[in-house]
Amino acid sequence: MATNDEHPASLVLAVSTVIFALRPSTRTGKMSLHIPVVRRIREPYEGLWALPGGPLGMQEDLGESARRHLLSTTHLDPTYLEQLYAFGDRDRSRTNGIARGDRVVSIVYWALVRSGPGAVEYSGIVRPADEVVPGDDNVVWIDADELPELAFDHTEIVAYALWRLRTKLEYSRIAHSFLGEMFTLAQLREVHEAVLRRELDPANFRRMIEATGSVEPTGTLLQGTPHRPPKLYRYVENPAESTPGQTPHPTPATKERS
Amino acid sequence: MATNDEHPASLVLAVSTVIFALRPSTRTGKMSLHIPVVRRIREPYEGLWALPGGPLGMQEDLGESARRHLLSTTHLDPTYLEQLYAFGDRDRSRTNGIARGDRVVSIVYWALVRSGPGAVEYSGIVRPADEVVPGDDNVVWIDADELPELAFDHTEIVAYALWRLRTKLEYSRIAHSFLGEMFTLAQLREVHEAVLRRELDPANFRRMIEATGSVEPTGTLLQGTPHRPPKLYRYVENPAESTPGQTPHPTPATKERS
DNA sequence: GCAAAAGTGTTATTCTTACACCCATGA
DNA sequence: TCATGGGTGTAAGAATAACACTTTTGC
């Protein structure tokens, strides 16, 4: 077997992102979490799929770097972006004890982007989330729960990001980031159901959401449905009249857009 | 005003740690959270207090690096160690727009160490947690809720670590990390009360702890108390008979040392 | 016996959860 | 009018919290 004493010459600091969007599963047809992966065109792990990312620019913040790589590979602007973890163990790019290139410390972010019927406004142009770079089949969206073999330790990274998203969805109010400016409670519930992979009681879901004070009715109704038109809601940033004992948690650098 | 266009020449990757111990407050006498800080002996921020840390070694994992710096400054071995956040914004070592040295990306950990009457076993020698390096007054333990001015962005980092510890204590089972191998429920409750800064009902606390299945009676009693001798408990790693639906959360690289 | 902490029991309250039921619309 | 999802009501069960009470020791 290969020796463990090979010393990488240099240390590279990279930023990668696990980008989540909701798309219909090609197997079941139900909405499920998908992530974009990029085909590696050089060693190590040439040919395998990897998370979008790249080296940190000297003049950019960590979150900026994540957003830049995200934009360049998916042409999307994230509605939610949060740091996940810094992966930097000495042998994380080794396979069977064989060193694969320089030592890389990856600061990984996770992001949510809009998808499906609710389209994305990006630099004035409305783009659907499933539009990949034209003519570029080096980026594909895959079901986050049915991953192929990924490069480096990216399989574990995605598993951790999935766990984080699912955990956070239950105590936080981030589901709206998958949707557009206005949405019905049924759409919001559909997001929760797709992420958590279980059905939720519509009545209790409504009360749970209303209790958080995270949404407010816009006053308009969604027309064109086959049945009773549902109210349209919008997300409210700071629910002032909510529970007084709420934690103003000093989470660093968590950014939301619209 | 200073220009924002100064380009740092190089990028340094460092590892720092917020180390928590419980010690009696010099003001109130009650147990409260304390952290060790190191006096900076060079620019930038010379003379100010800073978190223990230093550059990442090419041959060590991130957690290893945190543990190494922790040991060299406090002579303690942490009973709990977890990554907190990677701080790497471009201007995090600027003051009033003035650049202070090279750009540093800090991967920050937080740790718990034993203290007080429960001493620490380290390389066979029992040391109390309040023993600093002999003759070294460049390390002091300060109350985490009464910080002086710290170097860099370390004030915000400590605030975030404090929030993280207090949040995690309520849904996790880490309080025992402040104590020795065996402890009474009153001691465990004292830890919770000191960290959360509020009194807890002994009866409900007992039931809450028992419900988690995280401790078990050792069969021995603590003698020498002025009143009824309490049972001594020990921490159990994997409460197998606990709730079946527990999440096997894939948190990366969280290490505990009994 | 008395004081004080260890430990148990009991009840009120709030939070979930399940599900029955009414409402409003298109076809 | 009927089918269907939107939306409201209600009650059982579980988790939380407050506190009375019994137990066991040192003094």
Coordinates of all heavy atoms in Angstrom, one line a residue, chain C residues 1-7 9 14-19 21-22 25 27, chain D residues 1 3 6-7 9-11 13-14 19 21-27:
Chain C
dG1 P -37.6 12.1 67.2 OP1 -38.6 11.6 68.2 OP2 -37.5 11.7 65.8 O5' -37.7 13.7 67.3 C5' -37.7 14.4 68.6 C4' -37.0 15.7 68.4 O4' -35.6 15.5 68.2 C3' -37.5 16.5 67.2 O3' -37.3 17.9 67.5 C2' -36.5 16.1 66.1 C1' -35.2 15.9 66.8 N9 -34.3 14.9 66.3 C8 -34.5 13.6 66.1 N7 -33.4 13.0 65.6 C5 -32.5 13.9 65.5 C6 -31.1 13.9 65.1 O6 -30.5 12.9 64.7 N1 -30.5 15.1 65.1 C2 -31.1 16.3 65.5 N2 -30.3 17.3 65.5 N3 -32.3 16.3 66.0 C4 -33.0 15.2 65.9
dC2 P -38.1 18.9 66.7 OP1 -38.5 20.0 67.6 OP2 -39.1 18.3 65.8 O5' -36.9 19.6 65.7 C5' -35.8 20.1 66.3 C4' -34.8 20.6 65.3 O4' -33.9 19.5 64.8 C3' -35.5 21.1 64.0 O3' -34.8 22.3 63.6 C2' -35.3 20.0 63.0 C1' -34.0 19.4 63.4 N1 -33.8 18.0 63.1 C2 -32.5 17.5 62.7 O2 -31.6 18.3 62.6 N3 -32.4 16.2 62.4 C4 -33.4 15.4 62.5 N4 -33.2 14.1 62.2 C5 -34.7 15.8 62.9 C6 -34.8 17.1 63.2
dA3 P -35.4 23.3 62.5 OP1 -35.5 24.6 63.1 OP2 -36.6 22.7 61.9 O5' -34.3 23.3 61.4 C5' -32.9 23.5 61.8 C4' -32.0 23.1 60.6 O4' -31.9 21.7 60.5 C3' -32.5 23.6 59.3 O3' -31.4 24.2 58.6 C2' -33.1 22.4 58.6 C1' -32.2 21.3 59.2 N9 -32.9 20.0 59.2 C8 -34.2 19.8 59.6 N7 -34.5 18.5 59.6 C5 -33.3 17.9 59.2 C6 -33.0 16.5 59.0 N6 -33.9 15.5 59.2 N1 -31.7 16.2 58.7 C2 -30.9 17.2 58.5 N3 -31.1 18.5 58.7 C4 -32.3 18.8 59.0
dA4 P -31.6 25.0 57.2 OP1 -30.6 26.1 57.3 OP2 -33.0 25.3 57.1 O5' -31.1 24.0 56.1 C5' -29.9 23.3 56.2 C4' -29.8 22.2 55.2 O4' -30.5 21.1 55.7 C3' -30.3 22.6 53.8 O3' -29.4 22.2 52.8 C2' -31.6 21.8 53.8 C1' -31.3 20.6 54.6 N9 -32.4 19.9 55.1 C8 -33.6 20.4 55.5 N7 -34.5 19.5 55.9 C5 -33.8 18.3 55.8 C6 -34.2 17.0 56.1 N6 -35.4 16.6 56.5 N1 -33.3 16.0 55.8 C2 -32.1 16.3 55.3 N3 -31.6 17.6 55.0 C4 -32.5 18.5 55.3
dA5 P -29.4 22.9 51.4 OP1 -28.3 23.8 51.4 OP2 -30.8 23.4 51.2 O5' -29.2 21.7 50.4 C5' -28.1 20.8 50.6 C4' -28.6 19.4 50.3 O4' -29.7 19.1 51.2 C3' -29.1 19.1 48.9 O3' -28.4 18.0 48.4 C2' -30.6 18.8 49.1 C1' -30.6 18.3 50.5 N9 -31.9 18.3 51.2 C8 -32.7 19.4 51.4 N7 -33.8 19.1 52.0 C5 -33.8 17.8 52.2 C6 -34.7 16.9 52.8 N6 -35.9 17.2 53.3 N1 -34.4 15.6 52.8 C2 -33.2 15.2 52.2 N3 -32.3 16.0 51.7 C4 -32.6 17.2 51.7
dA6 P -28.8 17.5 46.9 OP1 -27.5 17.1 46.3 OP2 -29.7 18.4 46.3 O5' -29.6 16.1 47.3 C5' -28.9 15.1 47.9 C4' -29.8 13.8 48.0 O4' -30.9 14.1 48.8 C3' -30.3 13.3 46.6 O3' -30.2 11.9 46.6 C2' -31.7 13.8 46.5 C1' -32.1 13.8 48.0 N9 -33.1 14.9 48.4 C8 -32.9 16.2 48.2 N7 -34.0 16.9 48.6 C5 -34.8 16.0 49.1 C6 -36.1 16.1 49.7 N6 -36.8 17.2 49.9 N1 -36.7 14.9 50.1 C2 -36.1 13.7 49.9 N3 -34.9 13.5 49.3 C4 -34.3 14.7 49.0
dG7 P -30.3 11.2 45.2 OP1 -29.7 9.8 45.3 OP2 -29.8 12.0 44.1 O5' -31.9 11.0 45.0 C5' -32.6 10.1 45.9 C4' -34.0 10.4 45.9 O4' -34.4 11.7 46.3 C3' -34.8 10.2 44.5 O3' -35.5 9.0 44.5 C2' -35.6 11.4 44.4 C1' -35.7 11.9 45.8 N9 -36.0 13.4 46.0 C8 -35.2 14.4 45.6 N7 -35.8 15.6 45.9 C5 -37.0 15.2 46.5 C6 -38.1 16.1 47.0 O6 -38.1 17.3 47.0 N1 -39.1 15.3 47.5 C2 -39.1 13.9 47.5 N2 -40.2 13.4 48.0 N3 -38.2 13.1 47.1 C4 -37.1 13.9 46.5
dG9 P -43.0 7.5 43.5 OP1 -43.6 6.3 43.9 OP2 -42.5 7.7 42.1 O5' -44.2 8.7 43.6 C5' -44.3 9.3 44.9 C4' -45.6 10.1 44.9 O4' -45.2 11.5 44.8 C3' -46.6 9.9 43.9 O3' -47.9 10.0 44.4 C2' -46.4 10.9 42.8 C1' -45.9 12.1 43.7 N9 -44.9 12.9 43.0 C8 -43.7 12.5 42.3 N7 -43.0 13.5 41.9 C5 -43.7 14.6 42.3 C6 -43.4 16.0 42.1 O6 -42.4 16.5 41.4 N1 -44.3 16.8 42.6 C2 -45.4 16.4 43.3 N2 -46.2 17.4 43.8 N3 -45.7 15.2 43.5 C4 -44.8 14.3 43.0
dT14 P -51.8 27.8 30.1 OP1 -51.7 29.3 30.4 OP2 -53.1 27.2 29.8 O5' -50.8 27.4 29.0 C5' -49.4 27.2 29.3 C4' -48.8 26.1 28.4 O4' -49.4 24.8 28.7 C3' -49.1 26.4 26.9 O3' -47.9 26.6 26.2 C2' -49.9 25.1 26.4 C1' -49.5 24.1 27.5 N1 -50.5 23.0 27.7 C2 -50.1 21.7 27.4 O2 -49.0 21.4 27.0 N3 -51.0 20.8 27.6 C4 -52.3 21.0 28.1 O4 -53.1 20.0 28.3 C5 -52.6 22.4 28.4 C7 -54.0 22.7 29.0 C6 -51.7 23.3 28.2
dC15 P -47.9 27.0 24.7 OP1 -46.8 27.9 24.5 OP2 -49.3 27.3 24.2 O5' -47.5 25.6 24.0 C5' -46.6 24.8 24.6 C4' -46.5 23.4 23.9 O4' -47.5 22.5 24.3 C3' -46.6 23.5 22.3 O3' -45.6 22.7 21.7 C2' -48.1 23.0 22.1 C1' -48.2 21.9 23.2 N1 -49.6 21.6 23.7 C2 -49.9 20.3 23.7 O2 -49.1 19.4 23.4 N3 -51.2 20.0 24.1 C4 -52.0 20.9 24.5 N4 -53.3 20.6 24.9 C5 -51.7 22.3 24.4 C6 -50.4 22.6 24.0
dT16 P -45.5 22.6 20.2 OP1 -44.0 22.9 19.9 OP2 -46.5 23.4 19.5 O5' -45.7 21.1 19.9 C5' -46.9 20.6 19.6 C4' -47.0 19.1 19.6 O4' -48.0 18.7 20.5 C3' -47.2 18.5 18.2 O3' -46.6 17.2 18.1 C2' -48.8 18.4 18.2 C1' -49.1 18.2 19.7 N1 -50.4 18.9 20.1 C2 -51.4 18.1 20.5 O2 -51.4 16.9 20.5 N3 -52.6 18.8 20.9 C4 -52.7 20.2 20.9 O4 -53.7 20.7 21.3 C5 -51.5 20.9 20.5 C7 -51.6 22.4 20.5 C6 -50.4 20.3 20.2
dT17 P -46.5 16.5 16.7 OP1 -45.5 15.5 16.8 OP2 -46.4 17.6 15.7 O5' -48.0 15.8 16.5 C5' -48.4 14.9 17.5 C4' -49.8 14.5 17.3 O4' -50.7 15.5 17.8 C3' -50.2 14.3 15.8 O3' -50.6 13.0 15.7 C2' -51.3 15.3 15.6 C1' -51.9 15.5 17.0 N1 -52.5 16.8 17.2 C2 -53.8 16.9 17.8 O2 -54.3 15.9 18.2 N3 -54.3 18.1 18.0 C4 -53.7 19.3 17.6 O4 -54.3 20.4 17.8 C5 -52.4 19.2 17.0 C7 -51.8 20.5 16.6 C6 -51.9 18.0 16.8
dA18 P -50.8 12.3 14.2 OP1 -49.9 11.1 14.3 OP2 -50.5 13.3 13.2 O5' -52.3 11.8 14.2 C5' -52.9 11.3 15.4 C4' -54.4 11.6 15.3 O4' -54.6 13.0 15.7 C3' -55.0 11.4 13.9 O3' -56.1 10.5 14.1 C2' -55.5 12.8 13.5 C1' -55.7 13.5 14.9 N9 -55.6 14.9 14.8 C8 -54.6 15.7 14.2 N7 -54.8 17.0 14.4 C5 -56.0 17.1 15.1 C6 -56.7 18.2 15.5 N6 -56.4 19.5 15.3 N1 -57.9 17.9 16.2 C2 -58.2 16.7 16.4 N3 -57.6 15.5 16.1 C4 -56.5 15.8 15.4
dC19 P -56.8 9.8 12.8 OP1 -57.2 8.4 13.2 OP2 -55.9 10.0 11.6 O5' -58.1 10.6 12.6 C5' -58.9 11.0 13.8 C4' -59.9 12.1 13.5 O4' -59.3 13.4 13.6 C3' -60.5 12.0 12.1 O3' -61.8 12.3 12.1 C2' -59.7 13.2 11.4 C1' -59.8 14.2 12.6 N1 -59.0 15.4 12.4 C2 -59.4 16.6 13.0 O2 -60.5 16.5 13.7 N3 -58.7 17.7 12.9 C4 -57.6 17.7 12.1 N4 -57.0 18.9 12.0 C5 -57.1 16.5 11.5 C6 -57.8 15.4 11.7
dC21 P -68.7 14.9 11.7 OP1 -69.8 14.8 12.7 OP2 -68.6 13.9 10.6 O5' -68.6 16.4 11.1 C5' -68.5 17.5 12.0 C4' -68.1 18.7 11.2 O4' -66.8 18.6 10.7 C3' -69.0 19.0 10.0 O3' -69.8 20.1 10.2 C2' -68.0 19.2 8.8 C1' -66.7 19.4 9.6 N1 -65.5 19.1 8.8 C2 -64.6 20.1 8.5 O2 -64.8 21.3 8.9 N3 -63.4 19.9 7.8 C4 -63.2 18.6 7.4 N4 -62.1 18.4 6.8 C5 -64.1 17.5 7.8 C6 -65.2 17.8 8.5
dC22 P -71.0 20.4 9.2 OP1 -72.1 20.6 10.1 OP2 -71.0 19.5 8.1 O5' -70.6 21.9 8.6 C5' -70.2 22.9 9.5 C4' -69.3 23.9 8.8 O4' -68.1 23.3 8.3 C3' -70.0 24.6 7.5 O3' -69.8 26.0 7.6 C2' -69.3 23.9 6.4 C1' -67.9 23.7 7.0 N1 -67.0 22.7 6.3 C2 -65.8 23.1 5.7 O2 -65.5 24.3 5.7 N3 -65.1 22.1 5.1 C4 -65.5 20.9 5.0 N4 -64.7 20.0 4.4 C5 -66.7 20.5 5.7 C6 -67.5 21.4 6.3
dT25 P -65.4 32.3 -3.8 OP1 -64.3 33.3 -3.7 OP2 -66.8 32.7 -3.6 O5' -65.3 31.5 -5.2 C5' -64.0 31.0 -5.6 C4' -64.2 29.7 -6.3 O4' -64.9 28.8 -5.5 C3' -64.9 29.7 -7.6 O3' -63.9 29.9 -8.7 C2' -65.5 28.3 -7.7 C1' -65.1 27.7 -6.3 N1 -66.2 26.8 -5.8 C2 -66.0 25.4 -5.8 O2 -65.1 24.9 -6.4 N3 -67.0 24.7 -5.3 C4 -68.2 25.2 -4.6 O4 -69.0 24.4 -4.2 C5 -68.3 26.6 -4.6 C7 -69.4 27.3 -4.0 C6 -67.3 27.4 -5.1
dA27 P -62.9 25.3 -15.0 OP1 -61.6 24.9 -15.5 OP2 -63.6 26.5 -15.5 O5' -63.9 24.1 -15.0 C5' -63.5 22.8 -14.5 C4' -64.7 21.9 -14.5 O4' -65.6 22.3 -13.5 C3' -65.5 21.7 -15.8 O3' -65.6 20.4 -16.1 C2' -66.8 22.3 -15.5 C1' -66.9 22.1 -14.0 N9 -67.8 23.1 -13.3 C8 -67.8 24.5 -13.5 N7 -68.7 25.1 -12.8 C5 -69.4 24.1 -12.1 C6 -70.4 24.1 -11.2 N6 -71.0 25.2 -10.7 N1 -70.8 22.9 -10.7 C2 -70.2 21.8 -11.1 N3 -69.2 21.6 -11.9 C4 -68.8 22.8 -12.4
Chain D
dT1 P -79.0 21.8 -5.7 OP1 -80.4 21.4 -5.6 OP2 -78.3 22.7 -4.8 O5' -78.2 20.4 -5.7 C5' -78.4 19.4 -6.7 C4' -76.9 18.9 -7.0 O4' -76.3 19.8 -7.9 C3' -76.1 18.8 -5.8 O3' -75.9 17.5 -5.2 C2' -74.8 19.5 -6.2 C1' -74.9 19.8 -7.6 N1 -74.3 21.2 -7.9 C2 -73.4 21.2 -8.9 O2 -73.0 20.2 -9.5 N3 -72.9 22.5 -9.2 C4 -73.3 23.7 -8.5 O4 -72.8 24.7 -8.8 C5 -74.2 23.5 -7.5 C7 -74.7 24.7 -6.7 C6 -74.7 22.3 -7.2
dA3 P -69.6 13.6 -6.0 OP1 -70.0 12.3 -6.7 OP2 -69.9 13.8 -4.6 O5' -68.1 13.8 -6.3 C5' -67.7 14.2 -7.6 C4' -66.5 15.1 -7.6 O4' -66.9 16.5 -7.3 C3' -65.4 14.7 -6.5 O3' -64.1 14.7 -7.1 C2' -65.6 15.8 -5.4 C1' -66.0 17.0 -6.2 N9 -66.8 18.0 -5.5 C8 -67.8 17.7 -4.6 N7 -68.4 18.8 -4.1 C5 -67.7 19.8 -4.7 C6 -67.8 21.2 -4.6 N6 -68.7 21.8 -3.8 N1 -66.9 22.0 -5.3 C2 -66.1 21.3 -6.1 N3 -65.9 20.0 -6.3 C4 -66.7 19.3 -5.6
dG6 P -55.5 23.6 -1.2 OP1 -54.5 24.5 -1.8 OP2 -55.1 22.6 -0.2 O5' -56.6 24.5 -0.6 C5' -57.1 25.6 -1.3 C4' -58.0 26.5 -0.5 O4' -59.1 25.8 -0.1 C3' -57.3 27.1 0.7 O3' -57.8 28.4 1.0 C2' -57.8 26.1 1.8 C1' -59.2 25.8 1.4 N9 -59.6 24.4 1.8 C8 -59.0 23.2 1.5 N7 -59.6 22.2 2.0 C5 -60.7 22.7 2.6 C6 -61.8 22.1 3.3 O6 -61.9 20.9 3.5 N1 -62.7 23.0 3.8 C2 -62.6 24.4 3.6 N2 -63.6 25.1 4.1 N3 -61.7 25.0 2.9 C4 -60.8 24.1 2.5
dG7 P -57.0 29.3 2.1 OP1 -57.3 30.7 1.8 OP2 -55.6 28.8 2.2 O5' -57.8 28.9 3.4 C5' -59.1 29.4 3.6 C4' -59.7 28.7 4.8 O4' -59.8 27.3 4.6 C3' -59.0 28.9 6.2 O3' -59.7 29.8 7.0 C2' -59.0 27.4 6.8 C1' -60.0 26.7 5.9 N9 -59.8 25.3 5.8 C8 -58.7 24.6 5.2 N7 -58.8 23.3 5.3 C5 -60.0 23.1 6.0 C6 -60.6 21.9 6.5 O6 -60.3 20.8 6.3 N1 -61.8 22.2 7.2 C2 -62.3 23.4 7.4 N2 -63.5 23.5 8.1 N3 -61.7 24.5 7.0 C4 -60.6 24.3 6.3
dG9 P -63.1 28.8 14.1 OP1 -64.1 29.7 14.6 OP2 -61.6 29.1 14.4 O5' -63.4 27.3 14.6 C5' -64.5 26.6 14.0 C4' -64.8 25.3 14.9 O4' -64.1 24.2 14.4 C3' -64.5 25.4 16.4 O3' -65.6 24.8 17.0 C2' -63.2 24.7 16.5 C1' -63.3 23.6 15.4 N9 -62.0 23.3 14.8 C8 -61.0 24.2 14.4 N7 -60.0 23.6 13.9 C5 -60.3 22.3 14.0 C6 -59.5 21.1 13.6 O6 -58.4 21.1 13.0 N1 -60.1 19.9 13.8 C2 -61.4 19.8 14.4 N2 -61.9 18.6 14.6 N3 -62.1 20.9 14.8 C4 -61.5 22.0 14.5
dT10 P -65.7 24.8 18.6 OP1 -67.1 24.8 19.0 OP2 -64.7 25.8 19.2 O5' -65.1 23.3 19.0 C5' -65.5 22.2 18.2 C4' -64.8 20.9 18.7 O4' -63.6 20.7 18.0 C3' -64.3 21.0 20.2 O3' -64.6 19.7 20.8 C2' -62.8 21.3 20.1 C1' -62.5 20.4 18.9 N1 -61.2 20.7 18.2 C2 -60.5 19.7 17.7 O2 -60.8 18.6 17.7 N3 -59.3 20.1 17.1 C4 -58.8 21.4 17.0 O4 -57.7 21.6 16.5 C5 -59.6 22.4 17.6 C7 -59.2 23.8 17.5 C6 -60.8 22.0 18.1
dA11 P -64.9 19.6 22.3 OP1 -66.4 19.7 22.5 OP2 -64.1 20.5 23.1 O5' -64.5 18.1 22.7 C5' -64.5 17.1 21.6 C4' -63.2 16.3 21.7 O4' -62.1 17.0 21.0 C3' -62.7 16.1 23.2 O3' -62.3 14.8 23.3 C2' -61.5 17.0 23.3 C1' -61.0 16.9 21.8 N9 -60.1 18.0 21.4 C8 -60.2 19.4 21.7 N7 -59.3 20.1 21.2 C5 -58.5 19.2 20.6 C6 -57.3 19.4 19.9 N6 -56.7 20.6 19.7 N1 -56.7 18.3 19.4 C2 -57.3 17.1 19.6 N3 -58.4 16.8 20.2 C4 -58.9 17.9 20.7
dG13 P -57.0 9.5 25.0 OP1 -57.1 8.1 24.5 OP2 -57.5 9.9 26.3 O5' -55.6 10.0 24.8 C5' -54.9 9.8 23.5 C4' -53.6 10.5 23.5 O4' -53.8 12.0 23.6 C3' -52.7 10.2 24.7 O3' -51.5 9.7 24.3 C2' -52.6 11.5 25.5 C1' -52.9 12.5 24.4 N9 -53.5 13.7 25.0 C8 -54.6 13.8 25.7 N7 -55.0 15.0 26.1 C5 -54.0 15.8 25.5 C6 -53.8 17.2 25.5 O6 -54.5 18.1 26.0 N1 -52.7 17.6 24.7 C2 -51.8 16.7 24.1 N2 -50.8 17.3 23.5 N3 -52.0 15.4 24.1 C4 -53.1 15.0 24.8
dA14 P -50.3 9.3 25.3 OP1 -49.6 8.1 24.7 OP2 -50.8 9.3 26.7 O5' -49.3 10.6 25.1 C5' -48.9 11.0 23.8 C4' -48.0 12.2 23.9 O4' -48.7 13.4 24.3 C3' -46.8 12.0 24.9 O3' -45.6 12.5 24.3 C2' -47.3 12.8 26.1 C1' -48.1 14.0 25.4 N9 -49.2 14.5 26.3 C8 -50.1 13.8 26.9 N7 -51.0 14.6 27.6 C5 -50.6 15.8 27.3 C6 -51.1 17.1 27.7 N6 -52.1 17.3 28.5 N1 -50.4 18.2 27.3 C2 -49.3 18.0 26.5 N3 -48.8 16.9 26.1 C4 -49.5 15.8 26.5
dC19 P -45.1 27.5 42.2 OP1 -46.0 28.6 42.6 OP2 -43.6 27.8 42.1 O5' -45.3 26.3 43.2 C5' -46.5 25.6 43.2 C4' -46.4 24.3 43.9 O4' -45.8 23.3 43.1 C3' -45.6 24.4 45.2 O3' -46.3 23.7 46.2 C2' -44.3 23.6 44.8 C1' -45.0 22.6 44.0 N1 -44.0 21.7 43.2 C2 -44.3 20.4 43.1 O2 -45.4 19.9 43.5 N3 -43.5 19.6 42.4 C4 -42.3 20.1 41.9 N4 -41.5 19.3 41.3 C5 -42.0 21.4 42.1 C6 -42.9 22.2 42.8
dC21 P -48.5 19.0 51.5 OP1 -49.9 18.5 51.9 OP2 -47.8 20.1 52.3 O5' -47.6 17.7 51.5 C5' -47.9 16.7 50.6 C4' -46.7 15.7 50.5 O4' -45.7 16.3 49.8 C3' -46.1 15.4 51.9 O3' -46.1 14.0 52.1 C2' -44.7 15.8 51.8 C1' -44.4 15.8 50.3 N1 -43.3 16.6 49.8 C2 -42.3 16.1 49.1 O2 -42.3 14.8 48.9 N3 -41.2 16.8 48.7 C4 -41.2 18.1 49.0 N4 -40.2 18.9 48.6 C5 -42.3 18.8 49.7 C6 -43.3 18.0 50.1
dT22 P -45.9 13.4 53.6 OP1 -47.2 12.8 54.1 OP2 -45.2 14.4 54.4 O5' -44.9 12.2 53.4 C5' -45.0 11.4 52.3 C4' -43.6 10.9 51.9 O4' -42.8 12.0 51.4 C3' -42.8 10.3 53.1 O3' -42.3 9.0 52.7 C2' -41.7 11.3 53.4 C1' -41.5 11.9 51.9 N1 -40.8 13.2 51.9 C2 -39.6 13.3 51.3 O2 -39.0 12.4 50.8 N3 -39.1 14.6 51.3 C4 -39.6 15.7 51.8 O4 -39.1 16.8 51.8 C5 -40.9 15.5 52.4 C7 -41.6 16.7 53.1 C6 -41.4 14.3 52.5
dT23 P -41.4 8.1 53.8 OP1 -41.6 6.7 53.4 OP2 -41.7 8.7 55.1 O5' -39.9 8.5 53.4 C5' -39.4 8.0 52.1 C4' -37.9 8.4 52.0 O4' -37.7 9.8 52.0 C3' -37.1 7.8 53.1 O3' -36.0 7.1 52.5 C2' -36.6 9.0 53.9 C1' -36.6 10.1 52.8 N1 -36.8 11.5 53.3 C2 -35.8 12.4 53.0 O2 -34.8 12.2 52.4 N3 -36.1 13.7 53.5 C4 -37.2 14.1 54.2 O4 -37.3 15.3 54.6 C5 -38.2 13.1 54.5 C7 -39.4 13.4 55.2 C6 -37.9 11.8 54.0
dT24 P -35.1 6.0 53.4 OP1 -34.8 4.9 52.5 OP2 -35.9 5.8 54.6 O5' -33.8 6.8 53.8 C5' -33.0 7.3 52.7 C4' -32.0 8.3 53.3 O4' -32.7 9.5 53.6 C3' -31.2 7.9 54.5 O3' -29.9 7.9 54.2 C2' -31.6 9.0 55.6 C1' -32.0 10.1 54.7 N1 -32.9 11.1 55.3 C2 -32.6 12.5 55.3 O2 -31.6 12.9 54.7 N3 -33.5 13.3 55.9 C4 -34.7 12.9 56.5 O4 -35.4 13.7 57.0 C5 -35.0 11.5 56.5 C7 -36.2 11.0 57.2 C6 -34.1 10.7 55.9
dT25 P -28.9 6.9 55.0 OP1 -28.0 6.3 53.9 OP2 -29.7 6.0 55.8 O5' -28.1 7.9 55.9 C5' -27.0 8.5 55.4 C4' -27.0 10.0 55.8 O4' -28.3 10.5 56.0 C3' -26.3 10.4 57.1 O3' -24.9 10.4 57.0 C2' -26.9 11.8 57.4 C1' -28.2 11.8 56.5 N1 -29.4 12.1 57.3 C2 -29.8 13.5 57.5 O2 -29.1 14.4 57.1 N3 -30.9 13.7 58.2 C4 -31.8 12.7 58.7 O4 -32.8 13.0 59.3 C5 -31.4 11.3 58.4 C7 -32.2 10.2 58.9 C6 -30.2 11.1 57.8
dG26 P -24.0 10.6 58.2 OP1 -22.6 10.3 57.8 OP2 -24.6 9.9 59.3 O5' -24.1 12.2 58.5 C5' -23.5 13.1 57.6 C4' -23.5 14.5 58.2 O4' -24.9 14.9 58.5 C3' -22.7 14.6 59.4 O3' -22.1 15.9 59.5 C2' -23.7 14.4 60.5 C1' -25.0 15.0 59.9 N9 -26.2 14.4 60.3 C8 -26.5 13.0 60.4 N7 -27.7 12.7 60.7 C5 -28.3 14.0 61.0 C6 -29.6 14.3 61.4 O6 -30.5 13.5 61.7 N1 -29.8 15.6 61.5 C2 -28.9 16.6 61.2 N2 -29.2 17.8 61.4 N3 -27.6 16.3 60.8 C4 -27.4 15.0 60.7
dC27 P -21.1 16.3 60.7 OP1 -20.2 17.3 60.0 OP2 -20.5 15.1 61.2 O5' -22.0 17.0 61.8 C5' -22.6 18.3 61.4 C4' -23.6 18.7 62.5 O4' -24.7 17.7 62.5 C3' -23.1 18.7 63.9 O3' -23.2 20.0 64.4 C2' -24.0 17.8 64.7 C1' -25.2 17.6 63.8 N1 -25.9 16.3 63.9 C2 -27.2 16.3 64.3 O2 -27.8 17.4 64.4 N3 -27.9 15.1 64.4 C4 -27.2 14.0 64.2 N4 -27.8 12.8 64.3 C5 -25.8 14.0 63.8 C6 -25.2 15.2 63.7

